[in-house]
């Protein structure tokens, strides 16, 4: 026996054809399984790709809807705000109109009160003038004379002069109003013009012209019915009528109205005679 007979051989055992075939079949089956799995995996992996491609479209539509909804909401808010502003303006206008109406009513009431007060004063003044005129008339009729301005002696003036004097004395107590020509208010030249119109003598309207309307006479030679003036002849600023006994009648000013007073009360500058 050989000395190496007890050592096993290191040579691999020869594989049989059947073993090789079996292994080839197993390998083929595994590869087929892997191929199927790979195909299935590829198919499954492809599906999300399709879904992922659809997401941008869905996202864009949603964004458009959100933007449209935001626009509608903004328009609605603007509409509500505009309506609120209109309502506030209408309320303010109504409030202002109510305040204006109340103010107008208040002013109307005040004006009415003033008018009533003025009417009462005018009635009282008319009553006072009526009483004064009655006194003047009685004084002229009885021929009495005094220096208080109540009248003159009926014997001191005759004819046209008496008519002029009677007229101006009847207006004593009337109001003085610039530009007044009667019947209840006068300025100085308006009263003189109206008095001489009673005897059909037409005098100029203003005092400057009336101061040169007749013959100039001295203040020491006055006669009832002469026109007195204050200031220069042709530039007089005031006129009146001499009624005799050192008295005159004139529409003096807004404080005194038409008065009868002595010449010393307001000495005139000159006089003219038209009768």
């Amino acid at each position: 026996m050989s000395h190496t007979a007890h050592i096993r051989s290191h040579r691999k055992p020869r594989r049989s054809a059947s073993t090789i075939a079996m292994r080839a079949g197993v390998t083929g089956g595994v590869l087929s399984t892997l191929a199927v799995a790979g195909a299935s995996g590829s198919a499954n992996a492809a599906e999300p790709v399709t879904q992922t491609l659809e997401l941008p479209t869905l996202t864009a539509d949603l964004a458009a809807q959100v933007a449209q909804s935001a626009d509608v909401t903004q328009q609605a808010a603007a509409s509500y705000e505009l309506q609120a502003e209109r309502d506030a303006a209408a309320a303010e206008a109504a409030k202002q109109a109510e305040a204006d109406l109340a103010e107008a009513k208040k002013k109307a009431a005040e004006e009415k009160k003033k008018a009533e007060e003025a009417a009462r004063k005018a009635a009282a003044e008319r009553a006072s003038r009526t009483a004064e005129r009655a006194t003047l008339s009685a004084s002229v009729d009885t021929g009495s004379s005094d220096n208080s301005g109540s009248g003159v002696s009926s014997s001191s003036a005759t004819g046209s002069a008496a008519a002029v004097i009677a007229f101006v004395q009847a207006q004593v107590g009337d109001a003085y109003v610039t530009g007044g020509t009667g019947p209840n208010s006068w300025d100085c030249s308006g009263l003189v013009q109206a008095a001489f119109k009673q005897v059909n003598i037409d005098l100029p309207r203003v005092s400057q012209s009336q101061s040169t309307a007749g013959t100039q006479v001295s203040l020491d030679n006055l006669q009832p019915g002469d026109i007195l003036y204050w200031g220069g002849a042709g530039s007089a600023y005031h006129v009146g009528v001499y009624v005799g006994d050192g008295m005159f009648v004139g529409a003096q000013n807004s404080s005194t109205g038409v008065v009868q007073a002595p010449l010393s009360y307001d000495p005139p500058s000159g006089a003219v005679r038209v009768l």
Side-chain angles (χ1 to χ4, degrees):
M1 173 180 286
S2 170
H3 67 276
T4 61
H6 68 278
I7 299 173
R8 292 183 177 181
S9 175
H10 291 284
R11 181 179 297 176
K12 293 182 180 181
R14 183 182 300 273
R15 297 174 181 173
S16 64
S18 60
T19 301
I20 294 172
M22 183 182 67
R23 289 184 177 179
V26 170
T27 302
V30 170
L31 293 174
S32 299
T33 301
L34 292 174
V36 171
S40 176
S42 299
N44 292 335
E47 289 179 0
V49 172
T50 303
Q51 294 175 355
T52 302
L53 293 175
E54 292 178 356
L55 284 177
T57 303
L58 294 174
T59 302
D61 292 342
L62 180 59
Q65 292 177 2
V66 170
Q68 183 178 6
S69 177
D71 290 341
V72 171
T73 301
Q74 186 175 5
Q75 291 176 1
S79 177
Y80 292 149
E81 184 178 359
L82 179 60
Q83 186 61 42
E85 291 176 355
R86 290 176 177 174
D87 292 343
E92 183 64 23
K95 183 178 179 180
Q96 185 62 42
E98 185 177 356
D100 292 343
L101 180 60
E103 183 65 19
K105 289 182 177 179
K106 180 180 179 181
K107 289 183 178 179
E110 291 176 353
E111 292 298 328
K112 182 179 179 181
K113 184 177 180 180
K114 289 180 180 179
E116 291 175 349
E117 182 66 21
R120 284 194 293 269
K121 288 182 178 180
E125 290 175 357
R126 284 196 297 270
S128 176
R129 288 197 298 270
T130 299
E132 289 175 355
R133 289 172 184 173
T135 302
L136 288 172
S137 178
S139 177
V140 171
D141 290 341
T142 58
S144 63
S145 176
D146 58 46
N147 291 330
S148 64
S150 61
V152 296
S153 171
S154 60
S155 61
S156 65
T158 60
S160 296
V164 169
I165 292 170
F167 180 86
V168 294
Q169 287 181 328
Q171 314 313 314
V172 171
D174 281 357
Y176 175 93
V177 175
T178 302
T181 57
N184 296 314
S185 60
W186 312 86
D187 65 10
C188 62
S189 56
L191 176 62
V192 172
Q193 183 186 51
F196 281 87
K197 202 166 196 177
Q198 306 304 309
V199 294
N200 299 317
I201 294 177
D202 292 326
L203 292 178
R205 173 65 183 85
V206 295
S207 59
Q208 292 90 336
S209 299
Q210 289 178 3
S211 66
T212 59
T215 303
Q216 295 287 326
V217 295
S218 70
L219 298 178
D220 296 331
N221 192 31
L222 292 176
Q223 294 180 3
D226 286 346
I227 298 174
L228 304 176
Y229 62 84
W230 284 255
S235 60
Y237 59 85
H238 181 60
V239 290
V241 176
Y242 181 66
V243 296
D245 297 325
M247 308 292 291
F248 76 95
V249 172
Q252 295 302 99
N253 53 59
S254 58
S255 299
T256 62
V258 179
V259 299
Q260 179 168 295
L263 295 178
S264 60
Y265 169 79
D266 188 10
S269 304
V272 292
R273 185 168 297 156
V274 296
L275 295 176

